[in-house]
Amino acid sequence: IPAPKAIYTAAEVTINAGLRRAFEEEGLDHEHIKTLLKEAGETGIFFDADTLEYAFRKSIERMAERLTNDPSDLSLMEQIEAALELIGSLPFQANLWKTQNIFHEMLQGVYSEFREKAERGDKKALEWLKHFRRIGDKLYVRVE
């Protein structure tokens, strides 16, 4: 028996609002987001794709901008990498051109500094390069 329209509508509003809030949080709670997406998929909830895409995109952009202020922040790089891993499970396409541009600027700027440190055996720089390349792959930006 299908759920009454009022219950479906309430669930739709609740899940969309929950996803929007989850995307707007400082650190994305991936498990909570995946749970909401699964719940929505199981119940056939309609997504407010424009609002959700905007919230997700802005979250990624904020993280990328923070990274430009402190490029050596490995935990922030891990957060960005993890957030980008969500893209395949999202019910919308995220427009990440601004994040791609920020990343490309870092590639033209600080990347060579970290690469030189890594070549001298700096373990933190090696780790940085690993994350930077993974982020580049997820953003479809060629690193080398």
Side-chain angles (χ1 to χ4, degrees):
I1 300 173
K5 178 123 175 97
I7 291 175
Y8 176 84
T9 302
E12 185 175 293
V13 169
T14 301
I15 289 175
N16 276 291
L19 281 168
R20 182 184 46 75
R21 279 191 305 274
F23 291 148
E24 291 173 345
E25 288 178 6
E26 186 67 28
L28 297 179
D29 182 348
H30 305 276
E31 292 308 313
H32 180 61
I33 291 169
K34 288 177 185 177
T35 300
L36 289 172
L37 290 171
K38 182 180 178 194
E39 188 176 328
E42 291 171 351
T43 56
I45 296 293
F46 173 77
F47 291 101
D48 182 0
D50 292 339
T51 301
L52 295 176
E53 186 277 337
Y54 179 81
F56 179 77
R57 176 172 33 98
K58 286 301 186 182
S59 178
I60 300 287
E61 289 172 2
R62 280 191 305 272
M63 286 189 277
E65 288 169 354
R66 282 192 355 246
L67 188 61
T68 62
N69 295 328
D70 184 7
S72 64
D73 188 343
L74 286 175
S75 67
L76 181 55
M77 291 184 85
E78 290 170 351
Q79 289 176 26
I80 293 169
E81 189 177 343
L84 291 171
E85 286 176 8
L86 286 170
I87 289 177
S89 62
L90 297 176
F92 52 82
Q93 287 223 297
N95 183 347
L96 298 174
W97 67 268
K98 185 172 180 181
T99 303
Q100 290 169 319
N101 288 342
I102 291 169
F103 186 81
H104 188 266
E105 287 174 15
M106 291 182 72
L107 178 62
Q108 300 303 311
V110 298
Y111 176 78
S112 60
E113 175 187 330
F114 282 93
R115 191 179 65 215
E116 289 172 12
K117 287 179 182 179
E119 288 170 356
R120 291 191 301 257
D122 184 324
K123 291 187 187 303
K124 187 174 180 183
L126 284 168
E127 186 72 15
W128 189 92
L129 288 175
K130 180 178 77 171
H131 289 294
F132 193 83
R133 288 179 181 130
R134 287 182 186 164
I135 293 169
D137 287 344
K138 289 172 179 33
L139 289 173
Y140 302 102
V141 175
R142 189 169 155 226
V143 173
E144 291 186 86

